[in-house]
Amino acid sequence: MRQATVIAPSLLSANFAQLGADVAGVVEAGADWVHLDVMDHHYVPNLTFGPMVCEAIRPFAGRALIDVHLMVEPVDALVMPFAKAGAGLISFHPEASLHVDRTLQLIRDQDCQTGLVFNPATPLHWLDHLLDKIDCVMLMSVNPGFGGQSFIPSTLPKLRLVRDRLDAYARGTGRRIRLEVDGGVKPDNIASIARAGADTFVAGSAVFGSRDWRATIATLRHAAECS
Ligand code: DX5
Ligand code: ZN
């Protein structure tokens, strides 16, 4: 019941001095989505992009969806600015929002897809009453804040749990929810991540740190789909 594979390079590992060119280049090289890591130096210790940067890169992304990953607290005030700036999907961490259902609805009201993000230590019970409002469940396979960290292996059994849950939900409702994984995804581990149930893969340093983005994206996709 898996959906088409999505490869979403994270701009955190792009060259910020030529962000527009890197966005256009990575989409041309086969990226399905462009992953934008928004960090506020509060929810996470790092500081990155605001809505103005999202708006500036939007024209360079062409057909690719901009996958905005909010690592901010509080969340709600940034939803509308990012939606206006061209986000296609907005995901956030449930513990960073006081009213998670309301935040999901707020994102939907802006005609964006919704994503709920789970840190390695965040329990899955946040899904209990919210699946109808979620388009993408994202499991962090590193602690959020930085690119280039190592994949945390306990993500694999957690992915299997979510996969089972999303498959049961799809059987009951006919609606399929994406399962995204973020952090430490590389050509040599993506097959096991896909086998555990992920269909959407963020890869920052693996893509932008490689010499041939097109070859790396193709390798990632092939390994995920042949898993
Ligand atoms: C971490 C970010 C990730 C990160 C992924 O907080 O959410 O998207 O940039 O980078 P890599 O693929 O290098 O682990
Ligand atoms: Zn991310």
Side-chain angles (χ1 to χ4, degrees), residues 35 37 69 71 138 182 202:
H35 185 83
D37 285 306
H69 175 192
M71 285 161 274
M138 186 159 99
D182 185 10
V202 177

Side-chain angles (χ1 to χ4, degrees), residues 7 187-188 190 213-225:
I7 306 292
D188 65 2
I190 193 169
W213 299 349
R214 176 182 297 280
T216 305
I217 291 170
T219 300
L220 288 167
R221 192 187 306 284
H222 183 258
E225 288 178 349

Side-chain angles (χ1 to χ4, degrees), residues 82-104:
F82 272 103
K84 283 202 177 123
L89 184 152
I90 298 178
S91 61
F92 64 98
H93 293 247
E95 69 280 12
S97 169
L98 263 186
H99 304 289
V100 177
D101 181 276
R102 176 182 287 154
T103 305
L104 291 167

Side-chain angles (χ1 to χ4, degrees), residues 99-161:
H99 304 289
V100 177
D101 181 276
R102 176 182 287 154
T103 305
L104 291 167
Q105 191 57 51
L106 189 60
I107 296 169
R108 286 231 163 137
D109 288 346
Q110 314 311 312
D111 290 327
C112 292
Q113 296 182 55
T114 58
L116 204 60
V117 191
F118 293 79
N119 287 331
T122 307
L124 295 172
H125 64 67
W126 290 101
L127 293 174
D128 287 354
H129 310 287
L130 294 172
L131 283 179
D132 287 342
K133 287 191 172 149
I134 296 174
D135 299 305
C136 181
V137 174
M138 186 159 99
L139 296 194
M140 294 302 301
S141 35
V142 298
N143 287 293
F146 303 95
Q149 303 181 80
S150 298
F151 184 88
I152 296 174
S154 61
T155 312
L156 294 175
K158 199 173 180 186
L159 276 168
R160 283 184 211 107
L161 288 174

Side-chain angles (χ1 to χ4, degrees), residues 31 33 66 77 98 177 184 199 208:
W33 293 3
I66 299 188
L98 263 186
I177 297 172
D199 50 47
F208 286 104

